[in-house]
Structure formats: C-alpha cells, structure tokens
Amino acid sequence: MKIMDFLKEKAVSPHLKSKKKREVIEELIDLLVKAGEIGDKEEIINALLDREKLGSTGIGEGVAIPHAKSDVVKEVVAAFGRSPQGVEFDSLDGEPAYLFFLLVAPTDSTGPHLKALARLSRILRDKPFREALKKAETEEEMLKL
C-alpha cells in the first residue's frame, strides 16, 4: 500500500495555523471536507477525540497520526499537514508535533486501516524524510516527497 492510495491530494497543508490538539484535528478534517471526502464533520471529530482519550496518537519525533473509524467514509482517507511552530499533542516523547497525518477509515475496514497506519509509521521513522517534510513549503513539495 502506498501513501497516495489514501492521502487525498487536495487535503494537504504545509501551513497549519492551529495551536491546540483539537484545532489541528478540526483543521485537518476541514481539508477532507473541502476535498469532498467527508460530509459529517462533527461525527468524525468526535470519533477522533474519543480515540485520543484512549491514548495520544502523538508518536514522537515531531509526528502525530490521529486516526479513527467512522461510517461517514467509504474508504480509508487521509489528510496531511505541517505546523511550522509545532503543537503540544501529548506525544510519547513529550515534544511538540509538527507533522500530522489524519487517517479515517470505515468501521468495518480493520485490515486497510492497520495497513495504512503501518505504512505511515514505517515511512515516518526515516529522519531525513521527516526533516524534508518539515521544510516543505508548498503542497506540491509535500506531495512529491
């Protein structure tokens, strides 16, 4: 599975403005709404926030992968954003997060959901790749990476 199989090109932002966890989640959901991928924003926000209550999706090294399942989507979809200033995301390492991949999958899609999470986790372990994403200034640069 490739990231571009689920990352929506129109749901990418190199300049997230949010300063808090919930705001980041809402801003990324707004990208998916504008891309025409989801309609019921509130249901997905609630599912994502419920997932955060189980444990932070801030995995450390400046990365967070908020994710949840919802029947509002028919396939796995993702948005990606970069916060130049960083956001406190209750990350495992206690550091702010700069790179955010928000993932939403249908309720009955455990396999594809886990494959997408695994793919993101694997690629984001690569420090030079993370650093390149942190420096990308445009959507085009981010998508090329």
Side-chain angles (χ1 to χ4, degrees):
M1 174 179 276
K2 296 179 180 169
I3 291 177
M4 292 310 296
D5 291 344
F6 52 88
L7 178 62
K8 303 304 170 185
E9 288 187 32
K10 294 181 180 178
V12 174
S13 174
H15 304 289
L16 295 177
K17 294 172 180 48
S18 302
K19 306 227 184 296
K20 296 183 179 180
K21 181 189 274 195
R22 182 187 175 103
E23 293 171 359
V24 168
I25 289 171
E26 290 177 1
E27 192 171 349
L28 291 167
I29 289 295
D30 284 342
L31 292 174
L32 286 171
V33 169
K34 288 177 188 170
E37 295 297 327
I38 57 172
D40 190 343
K41 174 181 169 178
E42 289 306 313
E43 182 178 326
I44 292 182
I45 289 172
N46 289 333
L48 288 158
L49 293 174
D50 285 346
R51 168 59 189 85
E52 286 297 319
K53 289 176 188 172
L54 297 174
S56 179
T57 56
I59 62 173
E61 303 289 338
V63 177
I65 309 175
H67 59 279
K69 291 183 182 179
S70 172
D71 287 326
V72 174
V73 296
K74 302 292 181 223
E75 64 181 0
V76 176
V77 295
F80 172 62
R82 177 182 67 97
S83 170
Q85 72 276 0
V87 175
E88 176 55 47
F89 214 80
D90 302 316
S91 297
L92 298 175
D93 62 2
E95 296 297 319
Y98 298 88
L99 304 174
F100 301 90
F101 277 94
L102 182 137
L103 192 67
V104 182
T107 305
D108 63 353
S109 70
T110 300
H113 179 82
L114 291 176
K115 283 182 183 177
L117 279 172
R119 182 68 183 131
L120 286 170
S121 295
R122 213 172 15 256
I123 196 165
L124 291 167
R125 281 188 213 137
D126 183 327
K127 186 175 181 173
F129 178 69
R130 287 192 316 269
E131 293 303 317
L133 282 176
K134 284 182 185 177
K135 292 176 184 170
E137 290 292 326
T138 66
E139 290 87 352
E140 293 79 17
E141 286 178 61
M142 294 175 120
L143 290 167
K144 185 178 177 185
L145 288 167

